[in-house]
Amino acid sequence: MQGAAISFPAPLSVSANPRKLAAARFNPLSLCPSERLRFGDGASLSFSSTSSSGPYLSPIGCSLKQSGWISGPNHGGSEAESDGVVVRATAETPGAAENPKSKGFADTLVLGTLFGLWYLFNIYFNIYNKQVLKAFHYPLTVTLVQFAVGTVLVTLMWTLNLYKRPKISGAQLAAILPLAVVHTLGNLFTNMSLGKVSVSFTHTIKAMEPFFSVVLSAMFLGEFPTIWVVSSLLPVVGGVGLASMTEASFNWAGFWSAMASNLTNQSRNVLSKKFMVKKEESLDNITLFSIITIMSFILTAPAVLFVEGVKFTPSYLQAAGVNVKQIYTLSLLAALCFHAYQQVSYMILQRVSPVTHSVGNCVKRVVVIVTSVLFFRTPVSPINSLGTGIALAGVFLYSRVKGIKPKSKTA
């Protein structure tokens, strides 16, 4: 969903006192993210008035974008998004404008750092998580621990005002509940797969996420793929099949768990479009993820007691011959990395387009597969490597062609 943009032929300035406007400097940090707005390319709109405290910038916003639970991407670099049409307020004095080159370099540096952290947290999450699941064969309990740590982090973030605490209505919670259910199942199935097969094989199977996304969107949203998208899915399916036939750690439990993870994770994306609410009630990505994390913890806790029981106590772990201190430390690190990489992922999504984010996610999967193979010394045959490479190449191709729309027929 793209925001609408309005362009003006020349900068428009409205000032209560023109002489004071030239001397006033605009500080972009004085605005909250939702007030830092922009019109089109190159056109700007500034409003200035005077008060006892000096120049005052009055932001104006209007909403022309249809938005839902998950806010759309921001294509303006480090500037945060609003509901749609946005205005960037600038002072018209030459000295007040920032150097575009230095600002562009700073934005690129920040974005590169975020991508590096995204990959790093994901690598360590998969390594720590696999080590925990190899010693402690209770994936539901492991999933609960990850949601519990995330809930604590979200609570601290809101309590310390590191991020604004949202005001949630009952209608919003009811709409978010299906998202929380499939989010919980998606992470549970991923942990089940990681406990049964190698990290590299789990992520090779998870490369089929685009296939499930296309099928579910066609079934429930009426969004049918183009011929380019269908063509890009062929190497994905073929590559995963080839890798599965030659995987040394293959077993059906791990295979179908990863497949179920694909289904539930992509169902979350479809549900986020189905359960859309009014624009003024929409939530940004980080807030939505925070609420889902808490709800997933609440959903998982009773399931753990009913299915696996209390198995994470020191006495039980000692009786099972597990190093208690080590398993606790690894579980905590895995949970911290799990929450961190998802938070960073949403921060990146606010700065780049969905296509760029999708390409970055494809590269991330390659990095995770390679590092896990090296760390765990996973035996990989040439045919297995070929299948994995074909599947990942298909995912990359999909990320590039999914934005291509068929030419509209003219009368």
Side-chain angles (χ1 to χ4, degrees):
M1 295 177 287
Q2 301 295 331
I6 299 178
S7 298
F8 292 95
L12 175 63
S13 174
V14 181
S15 173
N17 192 333
R19 293 182 179 179
K20 290 188 176 182
L21 177 61
R25 285 180 176 268
F26 169 59
N27 179 12
L29 297 178
S30 65
L31 296 178
C32 65
S34 61
E35 294 171 336
R36 295 169 60 190
L37 308 173
R38 179 179 68 255
F39 272 136
D41 293 331
S44 60
L45 179 62
S46 61
F47 293 83
S48 174
S49 61
T50 56
S51 63
S52 60
S53 59
Y56 171 75
L57 184 67
S58 177
I60 292 181
C62 61
S63 176
L64 296 181
K65 181 176 73 174
Q66 186 73 20
S67 63
W69 285 110
I70 299 181
S71 56
N74 175 22
H75 300 282
S78 62
E79 294 179 5
E81 64 181 275
S82 72
D83 284 336
V85 173
V86 289
V87 182
R88 178 173 56 210
T90 59
E92 295 187 355
T93 56
E98 291 187 40
N99 187 342
K101 292 184 178 179
S102 62
K103 185 176 184 300
F105 175 77
D107 290 343
T108 302
L109 184 62
V110 170
L111 186 60
T113 302
L114 289 175
F115 268 100
L117 290 174
W118 186 25
Y119 293 178
L120 189 65
F121 286 137
N122 207 286
I123 290 170
Y124 277 107
F125 163 70
N126 282 278
I127 291 175
Y128 292 143
N129 204 31
K130 179 63 176 179
Q131 291 176 325
V132 170
L133 290 166
K134 284 175 67 177
F136 184 74
H137 308 291
Y138 296 95
L140 191 54
T141 300
V142 172
T143 305
L144 175 64
V145 171
Q146 292 166 1
F147 287 141
V149 173
T151 299
V152 172
L153 292 176
V154 169
T155 304
L156 289 175
M157 183 173 66
W158 288 344
T159 303
L160 300 176
N161 291 322
L162 300 177
Y163 205 85
K164 184 179 179 182
R165 180 185 301 175
K167 296 180 179 180
I168 307 297
S169 65
Q172 286 178 310
L173 290 177
I176 297 174
L177 181 59
L179 305 180
V181 171
V182 293
H183 177 75
T184 303
L185 292 174
N187 286 283
L188 172 60
F189 287 132
T190 299
N191 285 336
M192 290 173 64
S193 180
L194 287 172
K196 296 292 184 179
V197 297
S198 66
V199 174
S200 59
F201 185 52
T202 295
H203 280 274
T204 299
I205 301 172
K206 286 176 70 65
M208 281 193 66
E209 283 183 348
F211 174 82
F212 287 90
S213 176
V214 169
V215 172
L216 292 174
S217 295
M219 291 175 60
F220 298 103
L221 301 178
E223 298 176 358
F224 295 97
T226 64
I227 186 63
W228 302 107
V229 169
V230 174
S231 300
S232 69
L233 294 178
L234 296 178
V236 175
V237 176
V240 170
L242 186 61
S244 300
M245 290 189 297
T246 56
E247 172 61 34
S249 66
F250 179 88
N251 65 70
W252 287 109
F255 176 84
W256 287 116
S257 295
M259 282 293 190
S261 173
N262 288 336
L263 177 62
T264 50
N265 284 332
Q266 295 310 306
S267 297
R268 179 182 59 196
N269 296 338
V270 172
L271 287 172
S272 68
K273 296 180 180 180
K274 292 287 287 184
F275 292 94
M276 293 177 69
V277 295
K278 296 179 181 178
K279 295 183 291 295
E280 59 270 17
E281 295 179 354
S282 63
L283 304 173
D284 64 84
N285 287 327
I286 295 179
T287 299
L288 177 62
F289 171 67
S290 300
I291 296 172
I292 287 177
T293 298
I294 296 174
M295 296 179 73
S296 294
F297 169 70
I298 296 173
L299 291 170
T300 309
V304 169
L305 295 176
F306 181 77
V307 177
E308 294 180 349
V310 181
K311 296 288 193 298
F312 210 57
T313 61
S315 58
Y316 182 87
L317 294 174
Q318 286 178 348
V322 178
N323 187 320
V324 178
K325 182 178 180 181
Q326 183 183 48
I327 204 71
Y328 279 174
T329 301
L330 291 174
S331 297
L332 177 61
L333 291 173
L336 290 173
C337 291
F338 170 76
H339 193 80
Y341 92 74
Q342 299 212 43
Q343 288 276 14
V344 173
S345 174
Y346 287 126
M347 292 172 67
I348 293 174
L349 189 57
Q350 291 178 340
R351 288 169 166 81
V352 301
S353 69
V355 173
T356 301
H357 189 274
S358 181
V359 172
N361 189 57
C362 178
V363 176
K364 180 206 71 178
R365 200 172 298 285
V366 175
V367 173
V368 170
I369 289 175
V370 173
T371 53
S372 66
V373 167
L374 295 176
F375 183 86
F376 293 108
R377 298 181 180 179
T378 306
V380 180
S381 67
I383 298 180
N384 183 271
S385 301
L386 178 63
T388 301
I390 292 174
L392 294 175
V395 174
F396 177 79
L397 182 62
Y398 167 82
S399 67
R400 301 301 298 172
V401 304
K402 69 177 181 179
I404 299 177
K405 297 180 180 179
K407 296 181 180 180
S408 56
K409 297 181 179 178
T410 56

